[in-house]
Amino acid sequence: MAADDRSRHLAVVAARAAADKKAQEIIALDVSERLVLTDVFLVVSGANERQVKAIVDAVDEALHKEGAKAVRKEGVGEARWVLMDYGDVVVHVQHEEDREYYALERLWKDCPVVDLPADLHAPVDGDGDSHA
């Protein structure tokens, strides 16, 4: 069962908020077939800890306006890899170096990419690697 419309909508709202804070390599993955806990992973990168924190704050504010409240947030203090769990959508905001090291796109490469507006995401090749 593919991610529902609400999950996809929240992923776009979160992606837009991240992009407004100059997040890079924005990608949304439909993980609904693999995980029962969530429908969409949104993965974005920030150049440094300050930018990661700004992205986290912007995403949280935007999703709060949509009526979505974070069930859990992890990694906010270090601002290297912040996981924000909104139930149907989990947002991963990663420092560029951590993003490259952990390569979530490769880990979840068998999951379909959720369509985001063209200005929000980096192209992804057939191997699941994103290219900014």
Side-chain angles (χ1 to χ4, degrees):
M1 185 167 149
D4 66 19
D5 290 341
R6 172 86 174 144
S7 299
R8 291 172 180 272
H9 171 72
L10 291 176
V12 170
V13 168
R16 178 73 59 206
D20 288 348
K21 294 298 177 184
K22 309 293 188 231
Q24 299 295 312
E25 297 184 75
I26 300 170
I27 188 168
L29 302 169
D30 182 340
V31 295
S32 61
E33 296 289 326
R34 304 272 178 155
L35 296 174
V36 295
L37 300 174
T38 192
D39 284 344
V40 177
F41 276 177
L42 179 71
V43 186
V44 306
S45 300
N48 54 51
E49 288 84 355
R50 179 181 283 181
Q51 186 181 22
V52 167
K53 286 181 182 180
I55 294 166
V56 166
D57 290 344
V59 167
D60 202 37
E61 183 179 329
L63 291 181
H64 182 74
K65 287 179 181 176
E66 293 291 322
K69 183 173 171 130
V71 177
R72 180 179 68 183
K73 287 186 211 173
E74 296 181 12
V76 176
E78 298 83 15
R80 298 287 302 182
W81 179 354
V82 179
L83 180 143
M84 305 165 69
D85 182 353
Y86 293 91
D88 294 334
V89 176
V90 173
V91 181
H92 298 269
V93 183
Q94 295 180 300
H95 189 287
E96 289 173 347
E97 294 167 1
D98 291 4
R99 174 83 175 264
E100 186 175 327
Y101 180 79
Y102 290 105
L104 290 179
E105 293 94 330
R106 274 180 264 164
L107 181 63
W108 296 97
K109 70 181 177 184
D110 294 335
C111 295
V113 174
V114 173
D115 287 332
L116 296 172
D119 61 318
L120 292 181
H121 62 87
V124 176
D125 67 22
D127 294 331
D129 296 331
S130 89
H131 304 280

